[in-house]
Amino acid sequence: MSDVVERTLTALPSLLSSDPSPGRPSSTSKLGTLIRGITELTSKHDEEKLIQRELVSIKEQVSSPNTTMRQMKELMVRAVYCEMLGYEASFSYIHAIKLAQQGTALDKRVGYLAVSLFLNESHELLLLLVNTVLKDLQSTNLIEVCMALTVVGQVFPKDMIPAILPMVEEKLNHPKEIIRRKAVLALYKFYLIAPNQVQHIHSKFRKALCDKDPGVMSASLHIYLEMVTEKPESYKDLVVSFVTILKQVVGGKLPIDFNYHSVPAPWLQIQLLRILSLLGKNDRSTSEMMYEVLDESLRRAEMNHNITYAILFECVKTIYTIHPKAELLEKAAKCIGNFVLSPKINLKYLGLKALTYVVQQDANLALQHQMTIIECLDHADLIIKRETLELLFRITNGQNVKVIVEKLLEFLRHSKDDYVTIDLGGKVTELAEKYAPDNSWFIRTMNTVFLLVGDQMQPDIPNSFLRLLSEGFESAEEDQQLRLLAVDSYVSLLQEQPARLPQRFLQVISWVLGEYSSVKEGLEPATVLRLLAPLLDLRHCSSETKSWVLAAMTKLSAGPACLSVAQELAERHGGSLDTTLRQRLHELQHLASDGELLRRVLPCSDGLEPLEVDSTLSFLDGFVSEALAAGAAPYKPPHQRQEELAQEKALSVEPYGLSLPLSLSSSSIAGRLSPTVLSMSSGLSGNSTELSPKGGSALRLEGVTRVWGKEGYLAKAALKPEEAAKTEVPCPLSVLQEGGSAPRTPVVSLPAPAPGPSLQAEREKQQLASCLFMGLGSQGAAGPCLMGKAEPTRHGFRKKVKGQGSSSGARGPSGDSASSSPSPLSAQSAMDNLLCSSPLDSGSTPSPADSAPSPADSAPSPADSATSPADPAPHLPHDLPANNRPCDAQEDLTEDTDTSETVVEGNSVAVVDPYDPEPLCLSPHLPEELCGLPRSEIRPLCRDASLVLSACCVRTDHSSLLVVFVSNASDSAARRFALQMTSGDLEVSRVRGGPEEEEEHVEGHSVAVYQYSLVPTRPSVHMELAGRASYQRPDGEPQSTPFSYGLSLPDFIRPLSVSTEEYGRLWLASSNDIKQNLALLSQEPDPLRATLHRLRDRLQLNVVDIIASEGIVACQLLQGPPCLMHCRLNAGCLAVWLRSSLPELPDCLLYHCQRALAQH
Amino acid sequence: MVRYFKKIMHFLLLFSRQGRLRLQKWFTPTPEREKKKIIRDMTAMVLARKPKTCNFLHWMDLKVVYKRYASLFFCLAIDDQENELLALEILHRYVELLDKYFGNVCELDIIFNFEKAYFILDEFLIGGEVQETSKQTVARCIEASDMLQEVKHTHTLAHMLIL
């Protein structure tokens, strides 16, 4: 082996000096010399010296005036190479820009490339590129235009988008498709970094979608995917088009050029499938439109190639995301089976991933594959193992939690990756809090987590743990038991080996002992003090932890025994350099000696009364005014200071000497410049009581939402409708099960167990399986319980689902021996053809099982056969999805199938909305007192055989009311009618119409009216209200229909009348601000006034004052804080500056302002 | 309005069996220090993989899909929610494109003509999304731009090619 290497090495120089193969670009250039030079070196140090020399020479040449552009190009390539090796060549950045600017087309290309590799979006030198891009966009040379668009699609300064936007837009109509495609992608980029800037060109995106070139069309799908993700309800009208395109693609109607390994346009297919899944989610009628094409996709993707599996995977995901259809689900489940059982490891991985995705809806699928899952759990490849754990995490319930948590902890013990450790630690905590079977298990598990994850732990884990202990849950007795167990275990931990405990754990221990050691009878405070005291001596103990320890000791320090401990400590640590520590020690000593004082300072109270915190720091007002009187400068919040600073040294970035359309250059200058500082603000004295913006300061307890309540986690309520919807999903398997009546026990089926020793192993696996999959598939019925103590109703520990990966500070392993040692090129391997797959390549190892039909197909597993008879067409409830789409008619796309190259063509056809409301004469039913008030149109919510629900939103001065009309068109009464509504963004309460508990009847041929008051809990652009109407049909059968109603922010905005002076005060008191330029109604005689009045009329804003070219506007969120807007005419647009004490409010309001000004 | 920055791809690295970087493309803005760390981590992790393991890795909250072609490792980081198999095919398509351009591409071609490899990449992927999947179109684009070199005075031939 070694002599082979040696021979290769000796052969290398000669190999490199000659051309690698005739006809290829030569390597005898200077770059070639450099590369060869590096390969010949043996030490990192030599390499560094060589590169530094090289960089010096490059630097010399680039700054020489005699260097031609052609030489410059060569130099740039070398600079890029040096940067790739990790050596900085920042001196060359400016020359790269120069090359892009001045070179011929070919040099330019290298210049642009170097720019895109050197600089990132926020680099300030990029501003210098804007002019070049503008020039090239106007070039008559198509290649230059292409290059400019390519660089724009990669790096472009956000603030300069307005400067080139019109020109890029123009390119959408270019005759060459490559230009159109690149323009679409550039716009996609803009959409990502500055969505507000491209809002006005949405209609052009539609045109791109209908482009006759499939490349342009598929480029536009990137934008659509993004927009649909954000707001699916606005694009429902495009479903038909997307389905048609997909049908054509799947049917092979695209030019053969787009095929990839004879699969038609796989990237396009996958993009479409993703869009469809977003559109069909929770929407039955839309989903129905796509069933056929999904079926077709599943059927067509049968070739044994990675790319078809990729499509299948996406198909399966879509099928499980949209409104379910039994037949498709069955096929998708089979497909997942093929993945999971595949001998190819990549497919197995994807199968696990798919299972994880679908298992919440169909837990039985995990049951079917339990043996495979168990095998994967012991897989040699850690990646597979980890994915399996992810799956187990999703199927955890009250019955299998012990086994699954044990598996997770086992992985955690061996994990070396910090990120994984933190992630899994969070997951175990979540499961423990949610499903803990008993208190002692909970404490034990949490102890393990604290020990294993250590100090990298997400900080909310110890916080919520302590909160759980202190607030408790259901019964006081249980709470006490939990605390007692915690105290017990911590005392013994401290007795053993306190030195190896992580800081966070020590803090938790200290706090718990400080609060609850009294729970344990016979445990003297002095004993606890003596246990805690050694912690102060630990060298790795941070001063934060010491504070925790001392705080705990202070709480306990009553009695003479404690006093002696305190004095001992004071002697030992009295000389510490840490002032906090000394201060605390002093306090401890003092309080220990004075029992009376201790009781006053730290009263023992059982109840947790929230502390009153004056977050405005108003007690400092006197101090502030004194300071001001003494001549101190008034306080300015940081953003204001920055503002002024920026204004002082603002550069003019306007391009000159260009034949630009006038309107564009003006908008480019305006950019995001600020309006001038308010004239009145300078007249006021500074206000130091302002809250820090979005501060996470520990003192702010006031407006913090309560997450935990008596019933556990409060946000849970908001999740309910979704859960309800999920459980309603008709799934063939669960139907079968209910029919079968017997509670389904996890059946383990093995194809003919092998005799002998392996039998034992198999049995163990079976046992594990029955533990792991316990409780799956028999949600309602109490299954057999391994732990003996099944408590399906127990929901003691509830916990929100944590955003995974939110933690920071995780580090990956950093072994770098391989990368740092420079080793010469291995000539043999370097000459290998890349496309000849090496035998090491696991993905393409031919395996005999590949060609054979996968086992799931041929050998019917018991689980499989169980599914097959399960199709007695599950009875679907008569629910009609809510449809209150935006009323503005949007152009519809029609298909065009007769030409093969045209995929879709944009003929706008007025299409009758299938859910167009019948002429409703409901307005007379509106309660009298609401008649004159402004309200939205009455829109239908949902309907079924007998009832039609409609609703409108009425705005009164102090509230927003949702008025629901229930009209019963049938002859019989709907009995026990009830409406339930929930929303994540709104607080909904019934206003009138009888006491809430009582069930009501809606008589035949009558209309009942319900009123609900709506209060936004937090502002957002659109708010969704989900509800359910339930009643009993005359035959006694209960009926239930879901609906949803969309509201937008203006429904909750009220004008705020304030004087100009009050406005000034409010302005200073609000901290969250945002600035933007808005379009001006410039055709009006007085544009500023007209624009502000338009805003007033559309959005209920109060125009406080208009002085010359400035205007101030105020409004208020219903039962919420005010939002202020300062407007100024600036170069043909309206520079607005919004402020509010609520961070989200200005952003949302701005969106609606833009909308209001865009509509005519 | 919460806007999350979704990108299909985060970065693409090509490195040799010895852990030598041959090509790097960052689709999301990344500070220099982090780039160095990522490169170090990636080479270490990928090179340490044993045969017969899957072609995917976790790195922080990203998925890394890698594949070895002869002496070069191609390594692409994607979003956790993305389709790993598709990412593998993206790598494969890139190799095919390189192969078409260089004709029987090998590591040396990429070492000595890395700027060409970048040009090809820029026609295939842009800003972390697939731009063009047709092999012919990409090839035509690159040829048209290369043509400028030979026929300097007239762009007409290039124009015809770009079509």
Side-chain angles (χ1 to χ4, degrees), chain B:
Chain B
M1 254 192 305
V2 183
R3 170 168 302 281
Y4 61 101
F5 231 73
K6 214 187 77 186
K7 286 253 172 151
I8 293 191
M9 295 166 236
H10 293 258
F11 56 82
L12 171 75
L13 302 177
L14 265 67
F15 49 85
S16 69
R17 260 194 324 190
Q18 290 80 28
R20 277 262 180 198
L21 194 62
R22 296 297 178 210
L23 199 92
Q24 56 172 342
K25 186 84 191 177
W26 304 87
F27 300 112
T28 37
T30 322
E32 282 308 317
R33 275 188 60 185
E34 208 183 320
K35 281 186 189 174
K36 282 193 179 150
K37 181 181 152 39
I38 290 176
I39 293 169
R40 218 173 37 231
D41 282 3
M42 282 305 117
T43 44
M45 282 166 78
V46 169
L47 293 175
R49 294 283 286 169
K50 295 191 185 78
K52 299 246 166 112
T53 50
C54 63
N55 292 44
F56 318 127
L57 282 174
H58 296 260
W59 188 83
M60 305 291 274
D61 54 346
L62 299 182
K63 278 285 166 57
V64 176
V65 173
Y66 69 93
K67 187 158 180 178
R68 185 175 154 187
Y69 288 91
S71 56
L72 263 190
F73 283 94
F74 286 66
C75 169
L76 179 66
I78 53 172
D79 235 54
D80 187 40
Q81 298 307 312
E82 279 300 319
N83 189 326
E84 289 88 351
L85 281 182
L86 194 66
L88 267 182
E89 296 314 300
I90 288 174
L91 293 179
H92 190 74
R93 175 41 56 109
Y94 182 44
V95 176
E96 282 181 353
L97 290 170
L98 290 171
D99 199 55
K100 192 172 164 73
Y101 182 80
F102 290 107
N104 253 347
V105 66
C106 67
E107 192 184 341
L108 286 178
D109 291 320
I110 295 173
I111 297 174
F112 286 105
N113 299 287
F114 65 90
E115 83 275 18
K116 296 276 168 29
Y118 277 122
F119 291 141
I120 296 169
L121 185 64
D122 283 349
E123 287 303 320
F124 174 43
L125 307 175
I126 198 163
E129 301 277 358
V130 174
Q131 179 189 185
E132 179 59 69
T133 56
S134 152
K135 223 195 281 190
Q136 280 80 356
T137 313
V138 174
R140 262 207 308 262
C141 264
I142 299 292
E143 267 172 56
S145 309
D146 279 356
M147 200 62 85
L148 290 172
Q149 197 162 23
E150 276 87 54
V151 211
K152 229 179 171 184
H153 338 278
T154 161
H155 302 307
T156 43
L157 196 58
H159 280 195
M160 275 159 59
L161 267 164
I162 207 169
L163 199 121

Side-chain angles (χ1 to χ4, degrees), chain A residues 14 81 105 116 408 411 439 496 602 707 866 872 899 911 1065 1086 1114:
Chain A
S14 63
Y81 189 78
S116 72
L408 288 170
F411 192 87
N439 283 334
E496 282 162 22
L602 297 164
V707 183
T899 68
V911 169
R1065 267 198 296 284
D1086 184 351

Side-chain angles (χ1 to χ4, degrees), chain A residues 1044-1056:
Chain A
S1044 72
Y1045 189 84
L1047 293 131
S1048 65
L1049 186 71
D1051 290 325
F1052 303 103
I1053 290 291
R1054 296 290 178 273
L1056 177 71

Side-chain angles (χ1 to χ4, degrees), chain A residues 59 75 190 198 363 405 452 576 625 686 726 738 1008 1018 1121:
Chain A
K59 193 171 184 176
L75 289 167
F190 296 165
V198 288
V405 164
L452 287 178
S576 165
S625 53
K726 261 184 201 150
E738 277 158 33
R1018 61 182 180 85

Side-chain angles (χ1 to χ4, degrees), chain A residues 1031-1089:
Chain A
Y1031 64 95
Q1032 253 179 17
R1033 286 221 298 247
D1035 52 8
E1037 199 176 318
Q1039 192 82 11
S1040 155
T1041 312
F1043 59 84
S1044 72
Y1045 189 84
L1047 293 131
S1048 65
L1049 186 71
D1051 290 325
F1052 303 103
I1053 290 291
R1054 296 290 178 273
L1056 177 71
S1057 43
V1058 287
S1059 66
T1060 310
E1061 287 74 34
E1062 281 167 337
Y1063 183 95
R1065 267 198 296 284
L1066 278 173
W1067 181 265
L1068 287 174
S1070 337
S1071 53
N1072 301 291
D1073 61 353
I1074 119 170
K1075 288 168 206 150
Q1076 182 83 20
N1077 283 339
L1078 290 181
L1080 203 59
L1081 303 174
S1082 43
Q1083 63 275 38
E1084 305 284 332
D1086 184 351
L1088 176 66
R1089 201 167 287 270

Side-chain angles (χ1 to χ4, degrees), chain A residues 487-561:
Chain A
V487 170
D488 262 345
S489 75
Y490 295 160
V491 166
S492 57
L493 272 173
L494 286 184
Q495 278 162 348
E496 282 162 22
Q497 245 188 327
R500 63 182 187 100
L501 301 177
Q503 305 286 307
R504 292 240 189 243
F505 196 20
L506 284 177
Q507 292 165 9
V508 167
I509 290 176
S510 316
W511 190 85
V512 170
L513 289 182
E515 289 288 320
Y516 300 117
S517 62
S518 58
V519 174
K520 188 175 163 69
E521 281 172 38
L523 184 64
E524 288 298 321
T527 325
V528 181
L529 248 54
R530 284 203 191 89
L531 277 174
L532 288 171
L535 297 182
L536 296 175
D537 296 324
L538 293 181
R539 195 176 315 149
H540 72 273
C541 198
S542 70
S543 86
E544 188 196 349
T545 309
K546 284 179 184 164
S547 294
W548 282 76
V549 172
L550 279 167
M553 293 172 103
T554 314
K555 284 181 212 164
L556 295 169
S557 57

